[in-house]
Amino acid sequence: MTDMLQLSRAIAAKFAAADPEPLDHLGSFMALVWEDFLAREVMEILLDERSSYRGHKDVLTAAFFAWMLHPKHLGLRRNAIRLAAMRHFERAERKALKELPNGGWAADAVYRYRDIGIKFLVDVYYPIGGMGSLLRATARLNHSRLIRKKYLRQIFSCVEIVRIYHYAVDHLHPPAHRKPSLQGATTVVRKVADTIESTSATKDAWARRRPSIAYIYAASTIETANGNTLLHDVIDKNIDFKSVRPHLRELVGRARFVADQILARAVEPVGESAEAVPTVEPIPFTVRMYGNVEAALIGEAFADPRHNF
């Protein structure tokens, strides 16, 4: 038993030394995403070209996009983290058993220390509650169903409000028109979009997503390889860091543009959204145009009554 323990410790030390150091130098994993959520710092880690320890960026990715969909929903974010941790465990187990199909102590040591990683166990797995926490995770299918059933209309109502703002900023100017406003946008959003949210429900959905609305709208404008948008992929798919990495810089650049050039120019600026986006070069993009009827409705909603037409 002593020899086995010493060997186990030696294996652990060897693989721990080979695993990259965490990039969350501004705080622990728990402080960054579990107890609170520091969106800018998390995105800076995801954008960092350096590797972090195994599984780290996958759980950060899951946490970030759950936060994006509903910043106030702690349970949704924690469930996404648990699911990402479970997928990391599953991948590690498959890899270890492929190399050591007979299993046994050696496979378990490789699985735990090399493929899961000591740093993941210490920084993520044990602090969030270990296996007891993972077993409380809702299945991914149910996770997506929850988002679709309870929050999909809220999310896309918010997307449409920013699209209306975007259209107004680009095409409606003084003196004939006022700055875009939430009141004006909510009066017209049900007429120009396929949403059945009431005005009060839309305003409530907006209030809950103020910190992440720049990201939500930006994600709705980025097309992915399968013809969907990044926002649809986040809602429907088992995303991980590898799958979203090609889109992250565009997401952040577009979100910076949304925060600085659209939301900041509304009657009620959304400062929380700007604070959540790293300081990067904005990536401008054009609004998806409305038809003549919808455009006229938006123009009417933001018309300045003091202007003599």
Side-chain angles (χ1 to χ4, degrees), residues 6-308:
Q6 290 176 344
L7 182 57
S8 176
R9 288 173 175 170
I11 292 172
K14 175 183 177 181
F15 289 132
D19 216 1
E21 290 297 319
L23 299 176
D24 50 351
H25 55 278
L26 298 175
S28 69
F29 175 84
M30 296 294 285
L32 277 174
V33 303
W34 188 261
E35 294 159 356
D36 199 354
F37 193 83
L38 305 181
R40 178 193 289 255
E41 289 81 354
V42 170
M43 183 51 75
E44 286 173 347
I45 293 171
L46 294 178
L47 291 176
D48 197 318
E49 294 296 334
R50 294 173 296 170
S51 298
S52 191
Y53 59 84
R54 281 179 286 274
H56 186 210
K57 289 191 176 183
D58 283 332
V59 288
L60 290 182
T61 296
F64 178 85
F65 285 107
W67 168 85
M68 184 186 82
L69 296 179
H70 201 319
K72 306 293 186 182
H73 199 315
L74 179 63
L76 191 73
R77 186 171 77 243
R78 288 187 174 180
N79 193 66
I81 291 169
R82 292 182 180 112
L83 288 170
M86 290 175 70
R87 288 195 295 272
H88 178 57
F89 272 56
E90 290 166 356
R91 286 193 296 266
E93 186 176 67
R94 285 197 302 270
K95 183 178 179 182
L97 290 175
K98 184 177 180 179
E99 296 178 13
L100 297 163
N102 294 327
W105 179 86
D108 183 73
V110 169
Y111 159 67
R112 177 177 294 274
Y113 299 129
R114 185 196 67 183
D115 297 325
I116 294 176
I118 292 294
K119 293 185 178 72
F120 185 90
L121 293 171
V122 171
D123 287 358
V124 179
Y125 177 66
Y126 292 123
I128 70 173
M131 186 55 66
S133 178
L134 299 194
L135 291 174
R136 290 197 296 274
T138 302
R140 171 64 204 182
L141 184 60
N142 291 331
H143 185 80
S144 294
R145 283 175 177 167
L146 171 68
I147 294 169
R148 284 194 155 276
K149 182 178 180 180
K150 296 190 67 174
Y151 306 122
L152 195 68
R153 290 197 300 269
Q154 296 179 16
I155 291 165
F156 281 97
S157 292
C158 291
V159 167
E160 203 62 39
I161 288 175
V162 188
R163 184 185 170 203
I164 291 169
Y165 279 17
H166 194 176
Y167 176 85
V169 166
D170 282 1
H171 298 282
L172 306 177
H173 307 292
H177 295 93
R178 300 167 295 178
K179 289 182 177 181
S181 66
L182 183 60
Q183 181 61 38
T186 52
T187 61
V188 75
V189 68
R190 297 183 74 194
K191 301 175 183 178
V192 302
D194 295 327
T195 175
I196 59 173
E197 290 290 276
S198 66
T199 297
S200 61
T202 298
K203 287 182 177 180
D204 181 65
W206 178 268
R208 292 173 184 273
R209 291 169 178 81
R210 284 175 62 93
S212 65
I213 192 61
Y215 284 114
I216 291 175
Y217 182 61
S220 78
T221 68
I222 296 173
E223 292 188 1
T224 53
N226 53 22
N228 287 333
T229 67
L230 180 58
L231 181 57
H232 283 98
D233 284 354
V234 168
I235 293 169
D236 293 334
K237 296 181 178 294
N238 287 324
I239 60 164
D240 56 17
F241 177 66
K242 182 179 179 180
S243 66
V244 300
R245 185 177 187 179
H247 307 293
L248 287 180
R249 292 198 177 277
E250 184 176 11
L251 173 66
V252 176
R254 288 192 177 213
R256 186 79 265 166
F257 170 75
V258 174
D260 294 346
Q261 300 300 324
I262 300 174
L263 298 177
R265 296 167 69 178
V267 171
E268 312 94 342
V270 187
E272 307 98 298
S273 217
E275 293 168 4
V277 184
T279 303
V280 298
E281 191 68 25
I283 299 177
F285 60 98
T286 57
V287 64
R288 183 165 57 88
M289 291 299 292
Y290 288 99
N292 292 337
V293 174
E294 292 84 0
L297 288 168
I298 296 169
E300 182 181 336
F302 298 129
D304 191 331
R306 297 171 299 179
H307 182 70
N308 183 7

